[in-house]
Amino acid sequence: MALLGRITHTTTYRYAKPVTFGTHRALFLPRKGANARLLSWSAKTSVPSKIHWISDSRSNAVTVMEFTEPGSELTFTFEVCGVYFGVSGVEAFPLDPRAEEIPVQYTPDEWTDLAGYLRPHAEDADGSLAAWAKSFVAGDQDRTTDVLRRMLTIFRDGFHYQAREEEGTQTPGETLRLKSGTCRDYAWLMTEALRRLGFASRFITGYLYDGAVDGGAVGVYGAGATHAWLQVFLPGAGWLDYDPTNQISAGFDLIPVAVARHPGQAIPLAGSWFGDANDYLGMTVNVAVEKLGEAPDV
């Protein structure tokens, strides 16, 4: 089955008086491939801009917007329609025997290709992150799928989701100490913990479909804005999605836009402006992910 959907992503920045703007870059186009087919997309700005698209080193589609006029309000409106085929969980794929237990045995070619996603990026000066990661494989609990499932469960049972206005991502150590954070914080903590267990893991930013919008009984955390989770490479299955915020690892709810080694490479919208420091009044973000119905066979 394939679903037809529409995503509308609007961000507005407000200023006390007209300011000038530098180049802005946005990540909003879902990644095309076996699980998605884009039908149409558009990017518009309230202040006139020159827009073009490029591909970064990780094959993410980047929208580049250059401005020549000032403004006291700048709104970005991104819209995309597409067909999404959903993502099968690990249960749908027979893992290679070398991926069934920790540590996963990657081939020399895989090690070369995955090196950036195997090497930890964040500091762990006191060793607390490594110790936490090892707790999921204590004793003989070394089956890959069980470890991943246990880690998702601990986020549900032992952490508190906490949205915040401030930009940026907490360090894994900070999220572990606070036992709370946003979707980006959770995803980054799990990514770095898995790397310390020998998993190739990468940070993902994208969109989250909330079934409650269409009458579903249970809502999700992180809807209404951009979302973040991670992917793990398991031989035999490939890159699989794991969302620690909502304990999602399959289905149609996660729509990846960008992959990254660390969160700093996956900022949904970034740019500069020039004016007095107190000119900035704030921003609002609204993301609507709509299911338009089942798509015809394509």
Side-chain angles (χ1 to χ4, degrees):
M1 181 180 70
L3 297 182
L4 178 65
R6 177 172 58 215
I7 301 166
T8 305
H9 176 182
T10 304
T11 300
T12 299
Y13 295 96
R14 299 180 306 280
Y15 304 88
K17 64 177 184 290
V19 299
T20 56
F21 304 101
T23 300
H24 281 63
R25 297 171 181 265
L27 296 167
F28 83 93
L29 278 177
R31 290 176 67 85
K32 294 176 285 187
N35 296 318
R37 179 172 300 175
L38 304 185
L39 303 178
S40 64
W41 60 89
S42 65
K44 300 177 182 178
T45 59
S46 60
V47 175
S49 63
K50 180 180 178 181
I51 300 176
H52 66 278
W53 282 268
I54 63 173
S55 178
D56 68 13
S57 60
R58 296 167 303 283
S59 298
N60 301 315
V62 183
T63 307
V64 182
M65 295 154 286
E66 299 174 343
F67 300 89
T68 57
E69 297 182 18
S72 57
E73 183 174 288
L74 176 57
T75 297
F76 300 84
T77 303
F78 308 118
E79 187 170 294
V80 58
C81 289
V83 176
Y84 191 56
F85 298 92
V87 176
S88 299
V90 67
E91 293 81 4
F93 297 96
L95 296 183
D96 286 354
R98 57 194 176 92
E100 291 179 350
E101 295 184 349
I102 290 178
V104 175
Q105 301 300 308
Y106 295 113
T107 66
D109 272 349
E110 288 170 344
W111 270 99
T112 300
D113 295 337
L114 299 171
Y117 302 115
L118 280 160
R119 185 181 303 113
H121 180 84
E123 295 291 338
D124 183 27
D126 62 359
S128 59
L129 178 55
W132 185 72
K134 290 177 182 177
S135 71
F136 294 97
V137 294
D140 60 354
Q141 301 182 94
D142 57 358
R143 286 192 60 80
T144 299
T145 53
D146 291 341
V147 170
L148 292 166
R149 190 178 299 110
R150 282 195 293 271
M151 196 171 287
L152 287 182
T153 299
I154 203 66
F155 280 97
R156 181 193 67 196
D157 296 341
F159 285 70
H160 173 66
Y161 178 80
Q162 183 65 57
R164 64 175 183 273
E165 296 293 331
E166 295 84 0
E167 297 181 1
T169 305
Q170 294 174 173
T171 66
E174 186 176 8
T175 303
L176 185 59
R177 177 177 58 84
L178 296 173
K179 294 293 191 294
S180 71
T182 66
C183 59
R184 292 178 71 89
D185 303 327
Y186 283 7
W188 188 220
L189 169 56
M190 187 167 174
T191 297
E192 283 290 289
L194 290 175
R195 287 174 178 173
R196 283 165 171 80
L197 295 177
F199 288 96
S201 305
R202 61 189 188 184
F203 185 88
I204 306 295
T205 186
Y207 299 112
L208 174 67
Y209 170 68
D210 185 357
V213 174
D214 293 322
V218 180
V220 293
Y221 291 110
T226 55
H227 193 53
W229 62 97
L230 64 138
Q231 291 179 341
V232 180
F233 187 81
L234 298 178
W239 288 108
L240 297 178
D241 292 292
Y242 286 89
D243 176 11
T245 304
N246 296 292
Q247 293 76 57
I248 297 172
S249 58
F252 293 89
D253 297 338
L254 300 173
I255 305 171
V257 167
V259 303
R261 287 184 294 106
H262 59 82
Q265 294 179 318
I267 306 299
L269 179 60
S272 59
W273 62 276
F274 304 94
D276 296 330
N278 58 359
D279 286 341
Y280 179 67
L281 300 179
M283 64 175 290
T284 57
V285 178
N286 183 66
V287 173
V289 181
E290 304 171 82
K291 183 174 69 175
L292 303 180
E294 292 187 20
D297 293 335
V298 289

